[in-house]
């Protein structure tokens, strides 16, 4: 039977957290039980990250940066669909940014901020399951920088002449209200405004640029689903080079002027990015996005990050330097492994880093470096007593998701899998895996099952030794 409007109107939301009171429904009518969405996505490493009860389809993020105050003025609109009858729900939002207005479908909504990162939103009326809704938040301030002892610097990172947003794993919520877990991917639009002497950059395609009253606004579209940890915006003084790869992918690279990179090297960075994109497309299948590129920045974070479509490389300790071929191969390899196919849980991050490291090996071997077997042998020669062999590759622990076991043992595991199933099946897998889970999520269990299916070989012993056990496996 269908619910009558009268029965719906009879539902009264409880004001207290989690409480729902429904008035006596007419005989034969169903009462709708509106309940709060979960405050986390259920990831054991980051219990507060992400939320339950809805699924985001699009973020529209408008940021205006003021170099004098270092503050942003922002309007973010989150388009989502309820996956349960929602009385209230959380977004992740952290730090000192001050909200001046928050609406759900145009109506003022009540909200509280609790714990480190929960923005708890109670809409005027409950949201029925499957219903599409929009949250619009207007806010401003100087965003927080996260400096986690184990995970490093992320979130909003000030630079000499602006700032950059680098989110992995938990930084996104410092800049915009977000369902901050890789399992809730969405498309993105960015509208970035700054004084006209600054360059603004983001993921995706540059679709508009206009200057008015001394301010330049650019608009960027990331049309493929993206995990929040891979979203990127940058404000600052950059030199931009545009082109296309031989395979036809539009390619926009930018070099931070604070890095003092020569015009010739800025061009080389663009060309090498194009070459690696084409090389890896040959191995992993078509480039997953409508454009590519890269950004070099002096941000003091000491890492490069596979921000979707357009990675960021902080080479601040090496003035004048552009990324090496190996580094490009790593971050661009991630675009298939980690970005297009994202981990189901952060424990699965070896699926990102193992394949990105293996991408370095494959690229190096094809470009005059050591063979893949030599790269494996060099790592495998690490003594069994070394810390590298501590912990489990497929469950490294929250504080070890960026450790050597994930990268080097991950790549070694992939090489042993290749030997187990043979080159023919392995190179088929390199294309088939990113195709099978394109723009989605996959777990270690999914991967082991997929490898077994494609290799027609029992890989359970391989998985037990290389992924699920501590210690140095015998060959
Ligand atoms: Zn990586």
């Amino acid at each position: 039977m269908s619910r009558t409007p009268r029965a719906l109107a009879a539902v009264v939301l409880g004001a207290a957290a989690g409480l729902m009171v429904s008035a006596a429904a007419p005989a034969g009518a169903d009462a709708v039980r509106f309940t709060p969405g979960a405050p986390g996505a259920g990831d054991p490493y980051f219990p507060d990250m992400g939320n339950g009860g809805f699924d985001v389809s699009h973020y529209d993020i408008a940021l205006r940066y003021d170099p004098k105050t270092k503050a942003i003025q922002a309007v973010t609109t989150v388009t989502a669909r309820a996956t349960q009858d929602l009385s209230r729900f959380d977004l992740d939002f952290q730090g000192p940014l001050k909200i001046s207005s928050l609406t759900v479908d145009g109506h003022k909504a009540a909200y509280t901020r609790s714990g480190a990162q929960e923005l708890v939103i109670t809409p005027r009326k409950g949201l029925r399951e499957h219903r599409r809704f929009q949250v619009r938040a207007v806010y401003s301030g100087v965003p927080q920088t996260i400096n986690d002892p184990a995970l490093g610097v992320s979130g909003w990172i000030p630079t000499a002449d602006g700032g950059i947003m680098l989110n992995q794993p938990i930084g996104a919520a410092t800049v915009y209200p977000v369902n901050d877990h890789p399992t809730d991917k969405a498309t993105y639009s960015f509208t970035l405004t700054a004084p006209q002497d600054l360059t603004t950059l983001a993921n995706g395609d540059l679709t508009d640029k206009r200057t008015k009253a001394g301010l330049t606004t650019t608009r960027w579209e990331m049309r493929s689903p993206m995990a929040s940890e891979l979203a990127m915006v940058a404000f600052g003084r950059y030199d931009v080079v545009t082109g296309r790869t031989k395979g036809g992918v539009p390619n926009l690279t930018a070099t931070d002027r604070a890095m003092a990179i020569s015009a010739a090297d800025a061009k080389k960075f663009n060309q090498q990015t194009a070459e690696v994109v084409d090389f890896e497309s040959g191995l992993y299948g078509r480039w997953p996005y409508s454009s590519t590129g890269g950004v070099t920045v002096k941000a003091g974070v000491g890492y490069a990050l596979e921000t979707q479509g357009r990675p960021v490389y902080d080479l601040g300790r090496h003035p004048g330097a552009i990324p090496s071929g190996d580094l490009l191969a790593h971050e661009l390899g991630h675009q298939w492994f980690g970005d297009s196919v994202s981990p189901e849980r952060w424990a699965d991050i070896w699926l990102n880093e193992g394949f990105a490291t293996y991408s370095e090996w494959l690229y190096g071997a094809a470009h005059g470096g050591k063979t893949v077997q030599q790269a494996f042998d060099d790592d495998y020669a690490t003594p069994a007593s070394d810390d590298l062999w501590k912990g489990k590759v497929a469950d490294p622990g929250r504080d070890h998701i960026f450790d050597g076991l994930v990268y080097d043992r991950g790549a070694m595991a992939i090489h042993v899998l290749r030997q187990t199933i043979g080159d023919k099946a392995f190179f088929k897998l390199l294309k088939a895996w990113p195709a099978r889970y394109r723009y989605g999520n996959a777990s270690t269990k999914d991967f082991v099952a997929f490898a077994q299916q494609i290799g027609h070989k029992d890989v359970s012993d391989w998985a037990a030794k290389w992924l699920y056990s501590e210690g140095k496996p015998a060959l």
Side-chain angles (χ1 to χ4, degrees):
M1 63 175 289
S2 63
R3 297 177 172 102
T4 65
R6 187 181 296 274
L8 280 176
V11 172
V12 178
L13 292 179
L19 279 184
M20 195 288 296
V21 183
S22 82
D30 295 332
V32 180
R33 283 196 63 84
F34 290 95
T35 54
D43 194 311
Y45 288 8
F46 301 97
D48 297 334
M49 285 182 69
N51 305 282
F54 62 95
D55 178 37
V56 178
S57 58
H58 188 74
Y59 293 92
D60 189 308
I61 300 171
L63 301 177
R64 180 171 160 173
Y65 176 73
D66 181 350
K68 286 194 194 84
T69 59
K70 318 261 184 223
I72 58 165
Q73 282 184 299
V75 183
T76 292
T77 304
V78 182
T79 304
R81 196 178 49 84
T83 56
Q84 69 183 59
D85 291 325
L86 275 176
S87 59
R88 62 173 168 82
F89 60 93
D90 290 14
L91 286 167
D92 300 304
F93 196 47
Q94 59 184 314
L97 295 178
K98 201 165 172 279
I99 296 172
S100 57
S101 160
L102 195 146
T103 59
V104 176
D105 290 337
H107 300 290
K108 207 171 161 190
Y111 65 90
T112 57
R113 295 179 75 171
S114 79
Q117 67 183 78
E118 299 305 307
L119 171 62
V120 184
I121 300 168
T122 306
R124 196 173 63 155
K125 286 197 284 188
L127 300 166
R128 296 294 304 269
E129 187 180 357
H130 306 307
R131 188 177 145 180
R132 188 175 167 275
F133 63 96
Q134 283 193 320
V135 182
R136 181 174 184 270
V138 182
Y139 54 95
S140 60
V142 179
Q144 181 187 6
T145 305
I146 293 175
N147 197 346
D148 183 283
L151 306 173
V153 178
S154 67
W156 177 259
I157 297 143
T159 57
D161 47 24
I164 189 163
M165 178 179 81
L166 297 173
N167 294 342
Q168 192 181 68
I170 49 171
T174 66
V175 180
Y176 62 103
V178 53
N179 197 24
D180 199 8
H181 192 269
T183 44
D184 191 0
K185 297 187 176 192
T187 53
Y188 279 70
S189 306
F190 301 95
T191 307
L192 307 176
T193 301
Q196 62 184 357
D197 59 326
L198 296 187
T199 300
T200 49
L201 300 160
N203 314 85
D205 309 335
L206 175 60
T207 59
D208 194 30
K209 181 177 178 181
R210 55 189 66 190
T211 300
K212 206 173 129 188
L215 295 172
T216 298
T217 297
T218 56
R219 187 154 169 99
W220 304 78
E221 299 285 347
M222 172 43 76
R223 297 178 169 94
S224 306
M226 174 163 76
S228 45
E229 55 128 345
L230 303 169
M232 179 273 292
V233 297
F235 296 84
R237 288 190 174 78
Y238 291 86
D239 293 313
V240 174
V241 177
T242 57
R244 249 170 215 277
T245 76
K246 285 210 175 77
V249 182
N251 177 20
L252 185 151
T253 51
T255 48
D256 188 345
R257 286 194 195 154
M259 289 290 295
I261 292 165
S262 70
D265 278 347
K267 201 170 169 204
K268 194 170 159 197
F269 170 46
N270 185 275
Q271 286 167 345
Q272 287 186 331
T273 294
E275 281 162 25
V276 174
V277 164
D278 288 341
F279 172 78
E280 291 185 338
S281 298
L283 287 169
Y284 305 148
R286 74 168 171 85
W287 176 252
Y289 316 109
S290 49
S291 58
T292 186
V295 178
T296 71
V297 64
K298 185 174 180 179
V301 298
Y303 59 73
L305 185 62
E306 63 269 24
T307 44
Q308 186 157 304
R310 185 166 295 121
V312 170
Y313 309 86
D314 179 7
L315 299 171
R317 286 184 207 133
H318 310 280
I322 56 171
S324 66
D326 284 1
L327 185 55
L328 293 171
H330 182 108
E331 303 308 336
L332 292 166
H334 269 308
Q335 304 301 319
W336 288 265
F337 301 98
D339 290 16
S340 174
V341 183
S342 295
E344 185 73 28
R345 291 286 173 256
W346 282 103
D348 300 312
I349 192 172
W350 79 276
L351 286 167
N352 304 17
E353 300 304 345
F355 275 104
T357 305
Y358 205 75
S359 296
E360 295 178 49
W361 294 5
L362 289 168
Y363 178 87
H367 294 82
K370 51 187 166 186
T371 65
V372 171
Q373 186 61 44
Q374 278 164 352
F376 173 88
D377 291 344
D378 288 354
D379 279 359
Y380 189 74
T382 309
S385 58
D386 193 277
D387 278 356
L388 176 67
W389 304 105
K390 284 193 184 142
K392 295 172 188 166
V393 169
D395 190 8
R398 187 251 187 218
D399 289 351
H400 302 282
I401 59 172
F402 299 133
D403 285 4
L405 85 164
V406 169
Y407 291 70
D408 301 332
R409 277 168 66 195
M412 282 189 270
I414 288 162
H415 192 61
V416 175
L417 174 69
R418 174 177 170 180
Q419 293 169 331
T420 307
I421 65 175
D423 269 10
K424 197 169 164 224
F426 179 75
F427 284 97
K428 196 173 148 195
L429 176 146
L430 288 183
K431 281 199 169 86
W433 170 255
R436 166 69 182 80
Y437 289 96
R438 181 174 292 149
Y439 308 138
N441 298 80
S443 66
T444 300
K445 204 172 147 219
D446 294 329
F447 181 76
V448 173
F450 193 83
Q452 170 125 349
Q453 189 197 342
I454 230 165
H456 302 293
K457 286 252 167 60
D458 183 3
V459 299
S460 53
D461 186 51
W462 164 78
K465 274 167 42 182
W466 281 91
L467 304 178
Y468 295 121
S469 304
E470 295 204 49
K472 183 174 178 175
L475 292 179

